[in-house]
Structure formats: C-alpha cells, structure tokens
C-alpha cells in the first residue's frame, strides 16, 4: 500500500509540516488538528489525515474545508474583529497557560523521584502531560483566523488601490511600530543583549547557559529535535563580534516615527483596526506555541526514562503510539516497529501502517500555475536572488546547509532557524503570511515564497534557481546533472559573487579563464583538522582569528590543493576573494580583501596564498567599511576564494558597458599591452576608447578589427544576458581569443581606478 494525496477524495492540501522526534509527537499533532468542537474552537478541520515519514509529520485537510473556513472568516470579519477581541483571547489564554505552567512545576518537583515510582505512576504522568497540553493548546490555535484576516486585508488594500507588496510592507512596519515581536526575534535580542554584557565584562556565564536552554525549549515546538547548542553558540559569537551600529540595525531597535510607512497614505479606520488585530494575533499564537515546547521537552524526558526501564531501544520506543507505550509499561508487550520508520498514516477513522515508502507527500492542490521551468507561490517577503538550492526537511540536514544557499522545505520552524539565518532565500510548500518562514524572513530581509505546492517534487539540492519573491516566481536555471558550466569549477558549496558571475558568462557562451572555488566546507575541514578547532576559532576576536589563520599548518591543505592544482599545469595562479556581498551596486568592497597573483601551481604555495586572503577578512579597515554597509553587519568567519589561472595575454583591458562617472549610455575601454593587473592597479593604460550605439567606426592602435569585433559582440551578449551595467576585465591570448577574467556590476559613481 502506498500513500499519495492524489488518492484522497475530495482533494486535500498540506496545512502543516513539522519535523518531529517521535511518533507520539505526530499523534499529538494529529489529535490537535483532528478535534472539532464548535463550542470551543470553530476554526478547526474535520477529516484530517497525517503522514509521519522520515521523522517528519505532514498534515492534510480537505481543500473544501480550508477554503470554507477562510471565506467564512473573510466575509464575516466585521463580527470577528470587534474591539477588545485580542484582549479577550489573551485573557482566555492566560488561564490555559497558567494550568500548563502549574503542570510543569508539579512535574519538576517530583521528577527526581521517578526512579522509585511504579510503572503505573509513569503512565499517569505520560497521559497527563499528553492530554492536558493537548486540551489547553487546542483552544489557542488561530491559524485559520490569521489567514482569513489576511484575505480580507488584501481585499481592502486592493480596493484602496494598493498591492499585496504594500500589505507586506505595512505588516512588517506595524509589527515594529507596535512592538509586537515573535519568539525568534525575542530569542535573538536575548542573545544580543548577553553579547553586549560580555563585551562590557558584566556577563554571568550561568545567564548565557540559561538562555541557551530556553531557546532550545522554544525550538522543540510540537516535538522537534531541539536546536543544537553549537548552532546557538555560533549565532551568539557572531553577535559578539559585531559593531554596535550593526547590532542596532539587526535588532531594528529604532521604532518607526509614524504608524504609516514613509511614502504611503493612511489606511481607512477599519483596515487599520484589522491590521492591528492581525499582527497581535500572530504574535500571540507564536508565543503560545513556544510554551508548548516546554511541555514536550518534559514528555520526551519521560520517554527516555521509560526506554531505560523497559530495555526497549529508544529509537524503537519513539515509534510507539500512546496506548502502546501504556501497554508496554503495564504488561510488557512490545511491537515490531520496522515498517513504521518508513511511513505511518493517521486518520480520524483509522490508524494505518504503511509498509512501503510514501511516494508523494506534497499537496496536490495548487493555487497558482507552474510551468516546466518555473514555479509559482505567494510572496511572503520581497526580493530577488540567484543561488543554489538545498532541500532540507530534517534537523540533521541543517548541518549540511551552506551560507548563501536557497532553503527549500515543506515548512520551517525553530528547527531550521540556523539555516534560515544563513539562507539567501526561503521557499516552502506550506505556510501563511504569519507563519514562521514568513515572519522571520520579513524581519531579516530574506526573500521568501510560500505555498509552492510542488516545490519538493520539482526542486532538487544543487539546482540553480532564480527566486523573485516580489512576484512569487521561481525559475529553474540549471541542474547539476545537465549544467555544463560547472565543468571547470570545484564548488564545495556557495561559490560567491565573482565566481557566480563567471559561471553566467560561461553559460552565455563566452570563454573565461579557468578557475575553481574554495568554499565553506574547505575552511571548516581545515580548522577541524588543526589544533585550533572550529569551536575555539569562533570564540576568538577578529584579531585573534587573523593570527590563528596565519598559524595554521599547511600540511593537509597543501596536499588537498595540490590535487586540485594539477588541472592548471605549470600556469601561474591568482587567489582572490569571491564574497557574496562585494562588488555591489552601492558598496564595492574594493581594496578590502587581499588578492595574491603569480602564485605557483603548487599546493604549499597556494595554501599560503589562501591563508593571506582568508586572514584579510579580519582587519580594522574591513570592520570600518562594514559600518557603512549596514546590510552586511554580521561578520563572516570565512569567505569563498577563487583560484584562477593567469592566462598569458598579448593585450588586456577593462571595459565598462556604461560610463562609470557620468552614467551615460556609452562603452568605456582602457587597454594595456600587458596584463589586466596593470590596468586594475592603475599603473598602466596605453589606450582609451569610447563608443556608443551611434558611433560609425571604432579605431584602435592595440586592437585589430577581429579583436574589436569579438569585444563588441561580448558586450552585446553580456548586457543582454548578465546585466546592462557591467565592469569587465578581459584579455586576448596568443591565439587572439577573447578571455573574460572578471565581471561585476558597476558600483554607483566610481571611476575606473579610484575604487579598485
């Protein structure tokens, strides 16, 4: 028997995704969604189906039920949005939360005595932790209410002549103006404040330890694996190394002066009231969900205790249902859980074991139309980015996530926060506009698209994507199995901006100088194989990190780089930075990073050059420059480095597709009879050419007609396929072939030399 949502009638949609540590947590979540009592909470579903697969829970509800609830709330929003509604809800929740807190205090008081208690007592505690938490949380679930409010808000905005992007802007602005923050933001601020105290010498280590445990409790949620201590400490040490200006920008401490974003007119009174309710309810639900994690952690502790007492391996006990655990304690009866590890389905009429792996656990209902090379979803946080995708569904996968990749998942929660903080963009199958992914991405300025129902079926790890979250569109640019442009790169992960631009040049059909890229995995392995160690390195100050890098042994790195260098033969090499934030439209970072040229193609020599470039990341000059670029306030612990062949050239140059000083629509070329480096460091310029679309004929002393034709053709190709405003380093080799060495956007108002 195989499970597929396409076999469910009527069509079902994915309403929730959670990574969960055990089947008991999946049963809890199913019971939460499957309860329907109009006297308690009318915003619920019936005929829910849950699929527990690969330590993840996928919850489905009939599409018709979902649409009915949303439309009912949207149509009747005037009756739901009465004054004082949030206060009444919060007062109701106070009583519920108080009972949960009392339960946890009672548990903590007797936990030390559990070893001497009978199996019957353990059963009682397990049942109480399960059902009391279930009953209290049941009333607090407000997701359909949020979605209904959003639909009505969107309708109101459109009637007032505004767009959905305007609505997202207002939601983010109002959340900051009103001081409503999510648990994730509160946890981040908690760590930042502790980092401030440590910098001033006033930190008690016990306070940091307590904060880490609290954040882990929050990350557990409905039963996920807790966020690792290492990932929280890495985030903390990142804040510890930040300048105060960057900290303020990250925390968005400055409250907006007005309730209305700059450049926007005021909302109608009713829309303004509804926006306030929407923001408050989202924050309220988020805090309640975080409280649940505290009860789940205690339940998981009890499961471990039961595993020790019954001698049932913990991995097997995590695949038992509640009644089966009780039966185990009371009679010693065990079950075979072999097939459950593959897939387990829960429904209101049965609990069915599935012996074969589920083929499709993505929702079959798509609210937007996708094409073979494009997918559609709902914009949750605007922005556009091109990067490699990484599909992440379980907590274990977070460790393999690399900075700058696009995170693709069924949904996100605290378990993926570490990956989200390093993601270039986020794409999820499920989620609402106040879901974890939506809120965190808007707060951090990360492009995010939700509701991409076929994302997991169409996107694979390593796919090259363009995510346009402003339009809700995802374009599949290439796949590792078919992308020939990867043939000359050794990309261990994120390759950075310079390398990515060269890939695009090569994909456009032009010749580039051969290169490879050293990325996060290389530097991580180098540290782990050294006496320094990764953890100790991250705890060091900027100056200490620089000294640590220079003291690293080059034995392992030299051997590794020697194998890579064989592709370059006897050529000389250049080692240069490829950070994702340099060469930007507003901040070039020119001169901030080291470049090593004429490096012999020998492992030991390359390793020394790599150390010099890596250490240059930790300089006072770069720290000062980062104060200007507040969008990149957080300090990286590494940067991607390109190792590039220095192609012997007969003539070289730098070309701007637009005048960098006047911004006029004309090409500016500086030419040298030597190599590119004489041009870029300002020591040589033998000829300067300019031309525009109406220039009748171009004359050059250093470039014959054939070379000029190649150069003009390259300009047309690159401006149409890469970008209209480019700074290009090029040369012609001994066979009169044009070779591109570097392409980058023209930084605003920079001359050809001043910012190099």
């Amino acid at each position: 028997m195989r499970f597929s949502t396409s076999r469910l009638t009527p069509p079902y949609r994915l309403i929730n995704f959670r990574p969960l540590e055990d089947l008991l947590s999946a049963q809890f979540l199913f019971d939460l969604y499957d309860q329907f009592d109009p006297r308690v909470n009318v915003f619920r579903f019936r005929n829910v189906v849950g699929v527990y697969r690969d330590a993840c829970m996928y919850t489905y509800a009939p599409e018709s039920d979902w649409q009915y609830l949303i439309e009912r709330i949207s149509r009747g929003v005037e009756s739901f949005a009465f004054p004082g509604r949030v206060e009444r809800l919060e007062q109701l929740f106070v009583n519920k939360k108080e009972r949960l807190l009392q339960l946890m205090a009672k548990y903590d008081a007797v936990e030390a005595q559990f070893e001497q208690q009978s199996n019957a007592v353990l059963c009682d505690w397990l049942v109480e932790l399960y059902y009391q938490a279930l009953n209290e949380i049941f009333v607090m679930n407000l997701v359909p209410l949020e979605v209904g409010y959003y639909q009505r808000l969107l309708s109101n905005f459109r009637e007032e002549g505004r767009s959905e992007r305007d609505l997202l802007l207002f939601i983010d602005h109002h959340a900051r103006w009103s001081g409503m923050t999510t648990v994730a933001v509160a946890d981040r601020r908690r760590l930042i404040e502790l980092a401030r105290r440590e910098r001033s010498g006033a930190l008690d280590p016990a306070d940091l330890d307590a904060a880490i445990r609290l954040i882990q409790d929050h990350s557990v949620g409905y039963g996920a694996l807790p966020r690792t201590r290492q990932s929280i400490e890495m985030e903390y040490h990142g804040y510890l190394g930040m300048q105060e200006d960057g900290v303020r920008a990250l925390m968005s401490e400055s409250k907006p002066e007005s309730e209305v974003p700059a450049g926007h007119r005021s909302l109608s009174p009713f829309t303004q009231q509804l926006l306030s309710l929407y923001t408050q309810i989202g924050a309220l639900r988020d805090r309640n969900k975080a409280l649940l994690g505290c009860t789940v952690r205690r339940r998981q502790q009890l499961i471990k205790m039961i595993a020790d007492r019954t001698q049932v391996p913990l991995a097997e006990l995590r695949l038992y249902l509640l009644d089966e655990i009780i039966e185990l304690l009371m009679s010693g009866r065990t079950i075979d859980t072999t097939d459950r590890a593959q897939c387990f389905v829960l429904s209101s009429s049965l609990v069915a074991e599935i012996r074969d792996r589920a083929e499709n656990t993505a929702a079959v209902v798509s609210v937007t139309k996708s094409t073979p090379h494009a997918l559609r979803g709902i914009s949750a946080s605007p922005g556009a980015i091109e990067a490699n995708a990484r599909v992440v569904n379980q907590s274990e996968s977070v460790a393999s996530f690399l900075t700058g990749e696009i995170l693709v998942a069924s949904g996100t929660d605290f378990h993926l926060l570490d990956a989200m903080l390093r993601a270039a963009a986020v794409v999820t199958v499920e989620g609402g506009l106040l879901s974890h992914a939506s809120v965190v991405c808007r707060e951090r300025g990360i492009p995010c698209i939700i509701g991409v129902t076929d994302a997991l079926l169409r996107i694979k790890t390593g796919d090259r994507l363009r995510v346009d979250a402003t339009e809700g569109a995802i374009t599949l640019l290439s796949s590792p199995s078919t992308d020939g442009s990867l043939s000359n790169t050794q990309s261990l992960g994120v390759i950075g901006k310079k390398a990515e631009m060269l890939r695009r040049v090569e994909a456009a059909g032009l010749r580039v100088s051969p290169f490879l890229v050293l990325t996060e995995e290389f530097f991580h392995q180098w540290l782990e194989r050294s006496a320094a160690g990764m953890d100790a390195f991250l705890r060091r100050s900027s100056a200490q990190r620089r000294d640590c890098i220079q003291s690293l042994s080059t034995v392992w790195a030299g051997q590794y780089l020697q194998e890579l260098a064989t592709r370059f033969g006897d050529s000389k090499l250049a080692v240069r930075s490829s950070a994702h934030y340099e060469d930007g439209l507003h901040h070039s970072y020119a001169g901030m990073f080291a470049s090593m040229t004429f490096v012999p193609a020998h492992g030991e020599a390359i390793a020394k050059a790599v150390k010099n470039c890596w250490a240059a990341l930790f300089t006072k000059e770069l720290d000062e420059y980062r104060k200007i670029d507040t969008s990149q306030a957080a300090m990286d612990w590494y940067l991607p480095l390109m190792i590039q062949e220095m192609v012997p050239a007969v003539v070289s140059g730098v070309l701007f597709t637009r005048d960098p000083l006047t911004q006029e629509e004309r090409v500016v070329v500086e030419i040298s009879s030597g190599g590119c480096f004489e041009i870029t460091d300002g020591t040589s310029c033998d000829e300067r050419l300019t031309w525009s679309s109406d220039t009748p004929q171009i004359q050059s002393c250093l470039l014959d007609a054939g070379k000029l034709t190649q150069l003009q053709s390259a300009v047309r190709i690159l401006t149409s396929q890469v970008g209209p405003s480019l700074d290009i380093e090029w040369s012609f080799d001994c066979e009169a072939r044009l070779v591109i060495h570097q392409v980058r956007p023209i930084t605003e108002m920079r001359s050809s030399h001043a910012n190099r």
Side-chain angles (χ1 to χ4, degrees), residues 25 67 89 141 264 285 350 437 456 554 610 623 679 693:
S25 296
Q67 294 299 336
L89 285 171
N141 191 282
H264 287 262
R285 176 182 64 86
L350 60 100
L456 297 185
T554 58
V610 167
D623 288 342
I679 289 278
S693 57

Side-chain angles (χ1 to χ4, degrees), residues 82-93 277 280 284:
F82 55 79
R85 180 173 183 83
V86 172
E87 289 77 8
R88 288 183 56 179
L89 285 171
E90 191 153 25
Q91 185 56 47
L92 173 65
F93 295 167
L277 285 169
Q280 292 177 70
L284 185 62

Side-chain angles (χ1 to χ4, degrees), residues 601-660:
H602 181 270
E604 182 74 15
I606 301 172
K608 291 179 179 178
V610 167
K611 288 206 300 183
N612 289 334
C613 293
W614 185 9
L617 182 62
F618 306 104
T619 62
K620 293 181 179 179
E621 292 79 10
L622 184 56
D623 288 342
E624 292 299 315
Y625 193 93
R626 282 178 177 270
K627 294 180 181 178
I628 303 172
D629 185 8
T630 57
S631 65
Q632 297 296 335
M635 174 65 72
D636 293 327
W637 65 270
Y638 84 102
L639 78 164
L641 292 178
M642 290 176 57
I643 300 176
Q644 191 170 16
E645 182 177 339
M646 299 182 68
V647 177
V650 295
V651 61
S652 305
V654 175
L655 182 149
F656 297 92
T657 60
R658 177 178 295 170
D659 193 308

Side-chain angles (χ1 to χ4, degrees), residues 548-594:
C548 177
I549 292 169
Q550 293 293 8
S551 65
L552 288 176
S553 168
T554 58
V555 175
W556 173 82
Q559 293 173 348
Y560 179 84
L561 293 170
Q562 183 63 50
E563 296 179 12
L564 299 181
T566 55
R567 71 187 65 191
F568 297 117
D570 296 328
S571 299
K572 297 296 183 182
L573 307 175
V575 180
R576 60 204 316 186
S577 62
S578 183
H580 66 89
Y581 46 81
E582 63 179 319
D583 296 331
L585 292 175
H586 304 290
H587 301 93
S588 68
Y589 283 81
M592 293 294 106
F593 302 111

Side-chain angles (χ1 to χ4, degrees), residues 388-394 397 400-401 405-410 455-456 458-463:
N388 293 340
R390 184 170 295 274
V391 179
V392 178
N393 275 332
Q394 300 182 57
S397 303
S400 63
F401 190 87
E405 290 182 313
I406 295 172
L407 173 64
V408 181
S410 293
L456 297 185
R458 300 273 300 280
I459 301 174
K460 302 293 185 291
T461 294
D463 285 350

